[in-house]
Amino acid sequence: MIQPNSAYWRLMRLDKPVGIYLLLWPCLWALWIAAEGIPNLHVLSVFVAGVVLMRSAGCVINDFADRKVDGAVTRTSTRPLVTKEVSSKQALVLFISLILIAFVLVLTLNWQTVLMSFGALGLATLYPFMKRYTHLPQLVLGAAFSWSIPMAFVALGKPLSWHVWALYLANLTWTVAYDTYYAMVDKEDDLKIGIKSTAILFGRHDFLIIGLLQAVTLLLLGLVGVDLGLPFVYFLGLVGCTLLFIYQRVITHGRLRERCFHAFLNNNWAGLIVAVGIIVSYI
């Protein structure tokens, strides 16, 4: 059994659960809206477990892909594959094991959800390698982090209406925004070693583009809420999310690494506020 704070634990980033939360909140948005209330508990359990497993698997394959460059980046220089606490072979075995466990769980759902799970696997595996070929790896991450949204509707037997894709796009633009803050932390190191990111692509326009992406997120979530006739509490959640986006912009003035990282972490609360607004709306 993997022990807390062991090399394997840290390789799966279980000591830093914010990534799990950022993947979980949109999943809960979709499940509650699709079910129009509390979703089927079996489906809910499978998706929550799947979030933990797939995020862990994503971290493992990310570190495997970056094992030769992470040592040159200040933030990642002590990761288990860099320090040789875990070998490349052991990392791949762990990745495959996590994927297989997740797939076994998905097999308990309907066949349409099983088919869609291959898309999730493909996106999660593809993302870590994209930063070598495009300045938009954050776009691929957004696609991967949003895939649970249509999967949730399909798992609950609901059609893929425009609401589903509006939620998908809202989460995608939000993910690109917060992961750009994350990429800003490593920008100087990435430029030295040739790693690409939206932080580099956007350059001096980074704050403007992050703001526009966040505005699109809020607009899409607002449109979904209006069309579904959600109550005032949902929109109150969007107001809270807006204030957090403004807070993130204020604290990152000057683009200091630690401030950009704090802004990234703060998005956990933005996603949670929206999730609470949706859950309360259906009570």
Side-chain angles (χ1 to χ4, degrees):
M1 184 176 178
I2 297 175
Q3 298 297 319
N5 297 318
S6 68
Y8 287 108
W9 189 270
R10 288 182 283 113
L11 180 61
M12 292 187 290
R13 225 82 87 237
L14 292 176
D15 58 323
K16 299 175 180 178
V18 66
I20 293 174
Y21 303 144
L22 291 172
L23 188 55
L24 177 63
W25 303 139
C27 182
L28 296 185
W29 303 349
L31 286 168
W32 251 263
I33 290 176
E36 299 181 30
I38 299 175
N40 176 282
L41 293 182
H42 173 69
V43 174
L44 176 61
S45 299
V46 169
F47 271 80
V48 171
V51 162
V52 177
L53 289 165
M54 290 304 295
R55 188 264 182 167
S56 299
C59 290
V60 174
I61 197 64
N62 179 78
D63 285 12
F64 174 80
D66 292 346
R67 65 194 185 283
K68 295 182 180 179
V69 298
D70 273 347
V73 178
T74 303
R75 183 180 55 82
T76 61
S77 59
T78 59
R79 285 180 172 174
L81 280 169
V82 177
T83 60
K84 307 298 183 183
E85 294 172 83
V86 177
S87 69
S88 297
K89 181 179 179 180
Q90 290 170 324
L92 285 176
V93 169
L94 178 59
F95 171 71
I96 293 171
S97 299
L98 291 167
I99 292 297
L100 288 176
I101 296 170
F103 186 63
V104 169
L105 288 175
V106 172
L107 287 176
T108 66
L109 304 177
N110 59 39
W111 66 268
Q112 296 96 329
T113 310
V114 174
L115 286 180
M116 290 193 72
S117 70
F118 289 101
L121 174 59
L123 289 167
T125 305
L126 181 65
Y127 160 69
F129 299 95
M130 296 305 294
K131 64 190 74 172
R132 289 155 179 76
Y133 305 105
T134 175
H135 282 92
L136 294 170
Q138 282 71 27
L139 187 64
V140 181
L141 180 68
F145 268 37
S146 304
W147 198 249
S148 65
I149 293 173
M151 280 186 68
F153 277 80
V154 169
L156 291 171
K158 297 301 176 67
L160 295 179
S161 64
W162 79 267
H163 303 105
V164 180
W165 301 113
L167 286 171
Y168 184 93
L169 185 56
N171 191 59
L172 189 151
T173 53
W174 176 46
T175 304
V176 174
Y178 69 63
D179 206 55
T180 297
Y181 276 131
Y182 192 67
M184 288 166 70
V185 178
D186 298 333
K187 184 176 178 179
E188 293 181 12
D189 292 327
D190 287 346
L191 284 168
K192 293 176 184 177
I193 61 180
I195 293 296
K196 299 176 173 64
S197 72
T198 49
I200 295 171
L201 176 66
F202 297 161
R204 63 188 180 88
H205 302 296
D206 47 11
F207 287 140
L208 171 63
I209 297 175
I210 288 172
L212 290 173
L213 290 167
Q214 291 173 330
V216 170
T217 296
L218 293 167
L219 175 62
L220 289 169
L221 290 175
L223 289 174
V224 169
V226 169
D227 197 65
L228 291 177
L230 295 182
F232 174 74
V233 67
Y234 171 77
F235 297 95
L236 190 61
L238 294 188
V239 171
C241 187
T242 302
L243 293 175
L244 286 175
F245 287 165
I246 294 171
Y247 167 74
Q248 292 163 20
R249 174 61 186 88
V250 171
I251 65 170
T252 52
H253 179 73
R255 298 178 176 83
L256 297 176
R257 288 190 179 198
E258 62 274 13
R259 294 295 186 89
C260 291
F261 187 66
H262 180 66
F264 162 73
L265 294 175
N266 182 259
N267 280 277
N268 166 48
W269 300 108
L272 173 60
I273 285 175
V274 175
V276 170
I278 291 173
I279 291 170
V280 173
S281 294
Y282 285 103
I283 294 177

